[in-house]
Amino acid sequence: MNQSTGRMCRKAGRLASVLLALLALSGSVADAQTETTPDDPAATTISSSAASIGLTLSVSEVRAPDRFWLDESGLHIRELAGIDTVSGDITGTATTSTNIGWSAPCNGGTLVCRGAQVSFQQLTITDENGEWTGDLQLVIDPARGPDTITGILVGRHGNAGQVLYLNAVTERS
């Protein structure tokens, strides 16, 4: 490995830690189950059994991404894996696989960009009842206002028959 590649790998490791820390969120999550049939017009509404809950994901481990590169459009990171601790209304652990696009302009030395950051994440939360698995998208763009998150996690095993809809970032550090 040449010296330039070694520096880039060290920077990527530091960047991976920083970026996954940015993804550690506290969000408002709502159970989006309905008691209607899919062809029923009311099926798009949330039933009265839906409840808002709060979750906090705290990064506990980050592994280097499978791929990353910096080009004229920004920084691109693929398959950044992490393990989080989950607390709040659901407690347990979470595993993540994240793809990030961070728009230019970027500083090649620090690998920090000034544009919007869009993350797509596969997320699995494991609690004492089973799992919640699904996908989410996080958009961090100070020029457009508050961070936004959209995600759906489907319950498995003891959580089967339940769905979590992630729809708000209430805090990020």
Side-chain angles (χ1 to χ4, degrees):
M1 173 172 22
N2 67 35
Q3 194 173 25
S4 176
T5 304
R7 270 185 268 143
M8 188 68 151
C9 287
R10 283 190 298 279
K11 288 178 184 177
R14 287 192 306 268
L15 177 65
S17 297
V18 168
L19 290 175
L20 199 51
L22 287 174
L23 294 174
L25 1 138
S26 170
S28 171
V29 180
D31 178 349
Q33 288 289 44
T34 67
E35 296 177 15
T36 57
T37 60
D39 57 332
D40 183 343
T44 59
T45 62
I46 297 174
S47 72
S48 61
S49 64
S52 291
I53 64 171
L55 299 175
T56 301
L57 283 82
S58 303
V59 177
S60 57
E61 180 182 330
V62 178
R63 290 185 288 277
D66 282 354
R67 294 181 300 136
F68 73 94
W69 67 97
L70 182 64
D71 61 23
E72 63 280 348
S73 66
L75 179 65
H76 313 275
I77 300 173
R78 299 296 179 262
E79 297 185 37
L80 177 65
I83 297 176
D84 301 348
T85 302
V86 181
S87 59
D89 293 315
I90 296 175
T91 59
T93 59
T95 57
T96 59
S97 177
T98 305
N99 294 328
I100 300 170
W102 201 356
S103 298
C106 301
N107 180 316
T110 62
L111 297 177
V112 173
C113 302
R114 292 181 171 237
Q117 183 184 119
V118 179
S119 304
F120 296 95
Q121 187 172 75
Q122 293 175 328
L123 173 65
T124 299
I125 296 174
T126 304
D127 67 8
E128 70 276 357
N129 298 315
E131 293 180 343
W132 302 94
T133 60
D135 298 303
L136 61 91
Q137 176 188 22
L138 173 66
V139 178
I140 302 169
D141 187 356
R144 295 181 68 197
D147 300 345
T148 60
I149 188 168
T150 306
I152 297 198
L153 302 177
V154 177
R156 309 257 186 246
H157 310 294
N159 294 324
Q162 300 178 57
V163 174
L164 299 177
Y165 172 65
L166 289 80
N167 65 348
V169 177
T170 57
E171 181 180 331
R172 181 173 54 88
S173 58

